[in-house]
Amino acid sequence: MSHRDRRYDVIVVGAGHAGCEAGLAAARLGKKTALLTFSLDNVALLPCNPSIGGSGKAALVREVDALGGEMGRICDAALMQGRMLNTRKGPAVQSLRVQLDRKLYQRRMKYVLETTPNLFLKEGLVTRLLVEQGRVVGVKLRDGTTLYAPVVILATGTYLDSVIHIGDVRYSGAPQGQHPAIELAQSLRNLLPIVRFKTGTPPRVNLRSLDYSKLAKLEGENPLEGFSFETGSIEIEQVPCWVTYTNEATHAIIRDNLHRAALYSGAITGTGPRYCPSIESKVVQFPDRTGHQVFIEPEGWETNEGYLSGLSTSLPAEVQVELLQTIPGLENVEIMRWAYAIEYDCLDPFFLDSSLMTKEIWGLFCAGQINGTSGYEEAAAQGIVAGINAARLLDGESPITIPRSQAYIGVLIDDLVTKGTTEPYRMMTSRAEHRLYLRMDNADARLTPLGYQVGLIGEERYAAFQAKQEQIAQEVERLKRTPVGGDAETNAILRELGTTELRHGITMAELLRRPEISYDQLGRLCDLPDLPQNVRSSVEILVKYEGYLRKQQAAIERFEKLESRLLPQDLDYTKLRGLSREAVERLTLVKPRSLGQAARISGVSPADINVLVIYLETQKRSEG
């Protein structure tokens, strides 16, 4: 073996958000891990918008943190502005979204990677995956080096044979001027089923060229809440974002040049994201809209570069200039980076199991956009699961499988491996059946015990978690025991608070269930204990939504009964009489682990599920 060749327990290919979490998880669980990247200068790159969080996605970040991941901590260290979305709606859809200093985020994450024991961050271009007798054995690099490991995690993002489109200009390329992974893509096509997807990004502009008198200012919120459960208060002078809108003049230019957009000229064959469309797609699909929002985001403390969220496009460069100049505030805009569309290879996620290991190649895991997802948050969520399960595979332990009833991470992975995806998958709250239970505030209650069990949550943090849960439980019980009477003084306060007077005594918990009463307002009626804000928020949600949560818990229990009825992984569905032909094909492809998962597969009908129920009952009787 050459002196350049090395042996590791785990090799992670790609140091984006999936690769970083996968590498950290495996290394922190004691595995000698190599984390490979094209360029050390682009570790944890934010190639699209300089923000993290939002509807559905924020819960993923909190869940990664609750398991012991890194994204939440780095966000809190690099944020420039934070806002809680959907505050006028219920807690099920309230989501934190933060603006980040792009370069600071990268530097902080790179430092964590460099200083983590067992983790070896290396620059190198992987050209070939090495597989022998159905098992992965390592990777080959462009410089001739061979790295060996019994487990490899592919976290290649949008780099596999990626092609950049700007109008009719088309060339092999990757985000932010990086190199595509052409040889690795060719290697993977011989091993795995590959599909072609597309995404895009808007122009970046010099913020000094904007006319701010024509823009709406959007400030951050105080007090500022972080993503990590370990973060205390965040006190910074937040930067503003800005809002403007397209108009009919903008739309006319787009319509006149549609034939020049790569998306409509036929140059792009990959499927794009439905929930993050280009501006030309918006104009075509919503012809009656007179304007589309443009959200202007700063990219860092020490740069004038700004991101025009909402203006993703594949139109030619000269058309990009023309259409931007029709937008209020952008009349004299200076473009620093052109918008572009990018096509890339990714894996059909049907060929993964719930551990994120491929079904055909032992020891090969995939995480992030290679699995057909979009977004930094979705990538990080898959990365930490792949890293944990890679380490557990080497230790001979069963993989963790997070149920969709317990976390958005579970919804994400179950959707991918059970339903597949025909477009870049984006997490949204509407994908979860139990979203009132899967809230941002209780991600630690749902997943920190699992993080502790697998070894990513230390004793000190787990003790702090237990103390917090005890505080919440004690305060909820105290409110249920504490009476409040209908005396004149109390009713005067209630009138001031805009709620109905009391005719007889009730408990503080019953009073808090009124929509117009907050937990902090109870302090007008009784002394409240000195509790942290996150504890007070959780107490208020648990009390106000107790009835709904009880119903949701009953639904989760019914769901888990189906999930507990396991199907043999070697079951030959062709031999089960009564299954439809489509069901046989889909069940054979997915190989569901449970009756519940089988019921979620497209093409499997209730009649097919009854056949499986009869089979399981027959097997149970024969074994008894």
Side-chain angles (χ1 to χ4, degrees):
M1 181 167 40
S2 165
H3 71 281
R4 295 183 302 173
D5 300 337
R6 296 289 185 271
R7 291 193 177 276
Y8 297 90
D9 297 320
V10 177
I11 295 171
V12 181
V13 182
H17 304 284
C20 289
E21 295 293 350
L24 286 168
R28 288 167 174 169
L29 293 177
K31 306 308 169 193
K32 184 180 179 184
T33 303
L35 177 56
L36 303 173
T37 176
F38 285 123
S39 168
L40 290 175
D41 296 327
N42 288 308
V43 169
L45 180 68
L46 298 160
C48 199
N49 54 319
S51 64
I52 281 179
S55 182
K57 292 169 173 281
L60 288 174
V61 182
R62 277 277 175 90
E63 290 173 356
V64 168
D65 182 76
L67 283 171
E70 199 64 33
M71 175 176 269
R73 285 192 288 260
I74 303 298
C75 281
D76 295 347
L79 64 79
M80 303 170 67
Q81 187 201 90
R83 296 177 62 244
M84 189 68 75
L85 308 182
N86 301 322
T87 53
R88 295 183 180 180
K89 300 180 181 179
V93 295
Q94 292 177 9
S95 305
L96 178 64
R97 187 176 191 269
V98 299
Q99 302 298 138
L100 300 172
D101 182 314
R102 183 191 301 275
K103 293 297 182 182
L104 180 57
Y105 185 96
Q106 290 182 255
R107 290 198 303 272
R108 291 293 185 113
M109 183 65 83
K110 182 170 180 280
Y111 180 75
V112 170
L113 297 171
E114 292 170 340
T115 55
T116 295
N118 300 315
L119 187 59
F120 301 87
L121 180 62
K122 294 180 178 294
E123 193 170 83
L125 176 62
V126 175
T127 57
R128 188 154 60 95
L129 185 69
L130 304 179
V131 178
E132 296 178 1
Q133 298 179 339
R135 302 170 74 97
V136 71
V137 296
V139 298
K140 194 81 171 179
L141 305 188
R142 181 169 57 183
D143 64 7
T145 302
T146 301
L147 302 182
Y148 296 96
V151 171
V152 172
I153 302 173
L154 295 178
T156 51
T158 60
Y159 292 78
L160 290 177
D161 198 12
S162 51
V163 175
I164 299 290
H165 295 266
I166 305 175
D168 56 2
V169 176
R170 180 179 185 272
Y171 58 90
S172 292
Q176 303 273 323
Q178 297 187 82
H179 298 290
I182 298 174
E183 293 167 294
L184 178 58
Q186 293 169 343
S187 170
L188 292 177
R189 287 187 194 121
N190 297 323
L191 299 168
L192 298 167
I194 298 297
V195 295
R196 193 82 170 158
F197 277 177
K198 167 262 175 188
T199 189
T201 192
R204 270 67 161 191
V205 301
N206 193 321
L207 295 174
R208 72 180 181 186
S209 66
L210 307 186
D211 182 351
Y212 290 95
S213 67
K214 298 179 180 179
L215 305 176
K217 193 175 187 178
L218 193 62
E219 301 276 11
E221 294 178 349
N222 280 304
L224 182 55
E225 181 178 356
F227 270 119
S228 177
F229 288 102
E230 293 186 291
T231 300
S233 61
I234 300 176
E235 298 181 5
I236 61 170
E237 185 176 347
Q238 300 181 56
V239 300
C241 294
W242 304 85
V243 176
T244 185
Y245 289 85
T246 62
N247 51 56
E248 275 304 321
T250 317
H251 302 170
I253 291 171
I254 293 170
R255 285 191 291 265
D256 290 345
N257 289 277
L258 270 181
H259 63 286
R260 304 182 66 192
L263 183 62
Y264 287 89
S265 68
I268 292 177
T269 59
T271 305
R274 182 186 321 179
Y275 300 104
C276 190
S278 65
I279 186 61
E280 51 264 41
S281 295
K282 294 177 188 177
V283 170
V284 170
Q285 294 171 16
F286 305 100
D288 296 331
R289 287 281 296 272
T290 58
H292 295 277
Q293 187 182 77
V294 180
F295 190 54
I296 303 170
E297 306 173 64
E299 297 219 340
W301 295 108
E302 298 178 348
T303 179
N304 262 335
E305 193 171 352
Y307 179 92
L308 302 183
S309 182
L311 281 179
S312 173
T313 182
S314 61
L315 285 163
E318 64 272 20
V319 179
Q320 293 183 34
V321 175
E322 188 180 359
L323 74 88
L324 287 188
Q325 290 176 342
T326 66
I327 300 173
L330 306 183
E331 292 88 351
N332 298 304
V333 69
E334 176 189 341
I335 297 178
M336 299 178 71
R337 303 181 201 243
W338 301 115
Y340 62 84
I342 181 170
E343 279 188 292
Y344 55 96
D345 283 354
C346 54
L347 175 69
D348 185 340
F350 273 135
F351 291 83
L352 298 170
D353 64 27
S354 297
S355 72
L356 296 181
M357 187 169 76
T358 59
K359 296 173 182 175
E360 305 301 323
I361 303 174
W362 192 94
L364 178 64
F365 290 79
C366 297
Q369 287 184 272
I370 190 175
N371 290 342
T373 60
S374 67
Y376 314 137
E377 305 87 349
E378 291 89 342
Q382 294 169 73
I384 192 169
V385 171
I388 291 170
N389 284 333
R392 293 177 71 83
L393 181 70
L394 291 172
D395 289 337
E397 297 177 336
S398 59
I400 64 163
T401 300
I402 302 174
R404 62 187 297 123
S405 59
Q406 295 300 310
Y408 275 97
I409 293 177
V411 174
L412 166 65
I413 294 175
D414 185 67
D415 279 353
L416 289 174
V417 304
T418 303
K419 303 175 183 178
T421 183
T422 56
E423 62 185 75
Y425 179 101
R426 176 176 179 165
M427 178 49 65
M428 297 176 290
T429 55
S430 59
R431 296 189 188 274
E433 300 90 339
H434 312 293
R435 56 183 177 270
L436 181 57
Y437 178 63
L438 307 184
R439 306 183 310 277
M440 269 186 54
D441 71 284
N442 72 344
D444 55 344
R446 293 183 281 111
L447 291 179
T448 293
L450 177 59
Y452 177 70
Q453 175 192 329
V454 300
L456 289 180
I457 297 292
E459 295 290 344
E460 184 177 349
R461 179 170 176 180
Y462 192 62
F465 158 75
Q466 289 179 307
K468 175 189 171 185
Q469 299 308 306
E470 184 63 25
Q471 282 183 316
I472 294 171
Q474 287 180 353
E475 181 60 2
V476 168
E477 287 304 311
R478 190 187 73 82
L479 293 177
K480 289 181 177 180
R481 295 193 311 266
T482 304
V484 55
D487 56 88
E489 183 180 355
T490 297
N491 282 333
I493 294 173
L494 294 178
R495 284 196 300 272
E496 288 181 28
L497 295 176
T499 189
T500 306
E501 297 179 17
L502 295 177
R503 295 184 178 180
H504 52 78
I506 61 174
T507 67
M508 283 292 181
E510 289 173 308
L511 183 60
L512 183 54
R513 291 195 186 103
R514 296 184 177 185
E516 61 273 17
I517 298 295
S518 70
Y519 174 81
D520 289 341
Q521 287 173 332
L522 295 181
R524 299 277 304 274
L525 300 168
C526 69
D527 292 332
L528 295 178
D530 184 15
L531 297 173
Q533 178 57 46
N534 58 1
V535 171
R536 298 201 302 271
S537 297
S538 293
V539 168
E540 182 168 332
I541 291 169
L542 289 174
V543 171
K544 281 188 178 294
Y545 295 90
E546 182 181 28
Y548 296 102
L549 287 167
R550 192 182 299 116
K551 290 179 181 178
Q552 198 146 101
Q553 188 59 47
I556 289 172
E557 289 171 3
R558 291 193 297 271
F559 167 85
E560 289 177 347
K561 284 182 180 179
L562 285 176
E563 295 299 301
S564 66
R565 303 192 69 176
L566 302 180
L567 292 166
Q569 290 299 284
D570 58 354
L571 179 57
D572 185 351
Y573 292 99
T574 63
K575 295 182 178 179
L576 293 188
R577 296 183 60 184
L579 287 177
S580 68
R581 181 178 299 178
E582 183 180 10
V584 169
E585 292 176 357
R586 305 298 283 182
L587 291 165
T588 301
L589 175 64
V590 176
K591 296 179 181 176
R593 67 182 181 279
S594 69
L595 201 59
Q597 187 181 10
R600 294 189 294 276
I601 298 173
S602 176
V604 177
S605 69
D608 297 316
I609 295 300
N610 283 335
V611 173
L612 296 179
V613 169
I614 292 170
Y615 166 79
L616 291 176
E617 292 295 334
T618 303
Q619 291 297 109
K620 184 177 179 180
R621 286 196 296 270
S622 64
E623 292 171 1

